[in-house]
């Protein structure tokens, strides 16, 4: 177990967070667990996709990943050592239900029971995502999210897990970033299931939203009043690239596809009219929105999980433009003000719902130095500035309760394989050794002082 030095890492800004503010980190099942064929786990679309030639950089897969399935105890010790009070992870649907539905795999469910108990033993609150993109392959073979039935199967799975873990999990997140499934899974094809099909993409959007609402309904009977449920949405502030009326209009239009398409049905039981009209030209989505669906999607939630990585700038002709420095991820402009803007906007447009940040971070070119440490100064600067933006949003009245950085440790970054390192903790994949990076020591000081 690596020993953590007391953090005296600078720079800090002297900004204190409200008492009770919770700091943590996030991961997801396919990205860290490995053990793809262990203890009865069924295949998911990411097993299939990562094994398809040319889909993932260097042909890498999540077969072993960070081997968290076997190393979870020492990983939880590390979370505790870093001082975190919350840990967000996801459950692999096909570990619990190898066929997507039908018989429960007790060994799979037991893994998550142990994980949740292990967190409580260490004084860390579990925050559990039910679906972080790893659709069981059996369901994909029947049409996946294009098929309405998948939404009902998801609700059944949600109920099984809620019954098993119930109130031991104070916060449940239904779907992680439904938009990414739409955009990467079904528009660009860069993620599983690798489709380039706009007609299907927005049907998939609706069925995911329906799945969210059905899952909230299905879980409630198994949870007591203090247990909270919400979705995890990646929100992108969309700005006009210049002052022209056309750029302003284009930014509003894009905002529909990036944000309102997911927020409006959940908070207002309605899809945004302008976005629906634009979708009508490319997808039969509207035909799949049946009576009562929007009411189901608008089922009251208890918290909204916000994930923020990058802003988007749009020109008068509707092209996107880069205005800020990029991280190692080609799609990520570093712009902390965007976090402030999106948090305050959610409050203004959707009300004063409790918010948690469940992802924010960047990949840096991390290497282990001759002294055995990993000096990721860029990550420290990134978090310092994003924490400061969150602090300002809180000062301006946003009900933000907690901040989970992405990610606890380096992991399988989807189509980038292991090339991008997003963790506070470095993972040497050859030995599975964990080395807390400089940012981890720094973060641990932020947590200790509740101050950035
Ligand atoms: C988010 C995903 C997460 C991780 C980060 C970098 O979109 O939810 O799994 O890949 O991006």
């Amino acid at each position: 177990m690596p020993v953590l030095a007391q953090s005296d890492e600078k720079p800090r800004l002297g900004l204190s967070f409200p008492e009770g503010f919770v700091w943590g980190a996030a991961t997801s099942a396919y990205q860290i667990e490995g053990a793809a064929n262990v203890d009865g786990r069924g295949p998911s679309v990411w097993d299939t996709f990562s094994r398809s030639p040319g889909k993932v950089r260097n042909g890498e897969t999540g077969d072993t990943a960070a081997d968290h399935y076997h190393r979870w105890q020492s990983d939880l010790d590390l979370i505790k050592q870093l001082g975190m009070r919350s840990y967000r992870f996801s459950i692999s649907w096909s570990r619990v239900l190898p066929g997507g539905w039908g018989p429960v795999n007790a060994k799979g469910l037991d893994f998550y029971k142990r994980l949740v108990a292990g967190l409580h033993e260490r004084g860390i609150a579990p925050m559990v995502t039910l679906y972080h993109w790893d659709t069981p392959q059996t369901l994909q073979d029947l049409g996946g999210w294009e098929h309405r039935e998948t939404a009902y199967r998801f609700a059944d799975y949600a109920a099984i897990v809620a019954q098993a873990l119930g109130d031991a999990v104070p916060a449940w997140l239904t779907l992680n970033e439904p938009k990414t499934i739409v955009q990467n899974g079904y528009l660009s094809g860069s993620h599983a299931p690798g489709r380039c099909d706009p007609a299907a993409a927005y049907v998939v959007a609706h069925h995911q939203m329906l799945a969210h609402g059905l899952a909230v309904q299905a879980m409630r009977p198994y949870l007591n009043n203090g247990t909270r449920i919400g979705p995890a949405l990646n929100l992108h502030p969309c700005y006009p690239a210049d002052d022209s009326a056309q750029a302003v209009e284009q930014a509003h239009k894009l905002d529909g596809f990036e944000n309102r398409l997911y927020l409006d049905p959940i908070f207002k039981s309605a899809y945004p009219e302008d976005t629906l009209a634009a979708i009508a030209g490319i997808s039969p989505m509207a035909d799949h929105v049946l009576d009562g669906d929007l009411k189901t999607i608008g089922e009251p939630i208890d918290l909204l999980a916000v994930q923020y990585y990058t802003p988007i700038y749009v020109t008068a002709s509707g092209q996107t433009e880069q205005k800020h420095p990029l991280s190692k991820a080609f799609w990520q402009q570093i712009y902390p003000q965007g976090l402030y803007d999106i948090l305050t906007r959610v409050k203004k447009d959707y009300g004063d719902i409790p918010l948690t940040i469940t992802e924010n971070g960047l990949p840096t070119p991390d290497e282990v130095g001759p002294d055995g440490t990993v000096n990721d100064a860029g990550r420290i600067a990134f978090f310092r500035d994003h924490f400061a933006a969150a602090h300002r949003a809180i000062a301006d009245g946003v009900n933000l309760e907690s901040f989970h950085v992405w990610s606890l440790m380096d992991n399988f970054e989807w189509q980038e394989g292991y090339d991008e390192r997003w963790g506070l903790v470095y993972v040497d994949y050859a030995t599975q050794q964990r080395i807390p990076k400089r940012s981890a020591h720094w973060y641990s000081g932020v947590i200790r002082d509740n101050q950035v």
Side-chain angles (χ1 to χ4, degrees), residues 31 132-133 176-177 307 309 359 406 413-414 422:
Q31 294 180 276
H132 203 120
W133 305 348
N176 179 70
E177 300 190 355
Q307 317 201 146
Y309 286 100
E359 289 188 25
W406 185 270
E413 175 50 26
W414 311 112
W422 290 78

Side-chain angles (χ1 to χ4, degrees), residues 142-204:
L142 295 171
W145 289 116
E146 277 176 85
H147 191 38
R148 188 177 171 91
E149 198 58 23
T150 298
Y152 294 96
R153 296 289 80 84
F154 179 70
D156 294 345
Y157 153 64
I160 288 167
V161 175
Q163 191 173 16
L165 299 174
D167 303 328
V169 176
W172 291 92
L173 305 176
T174 53
L175 306 182
N176 179 70
E177 300 190 355
K179 180 175 70 184
T180 307
I181 299 281
V182 173
Q183 296 187 347
N184 296 15
Y186 286 85
L187 287 174
S188 73
S190 61
H191 280 189
R195 299 273 299 280
C196 302
D197 183 346
Y202 295 99
V203 174
V204 162

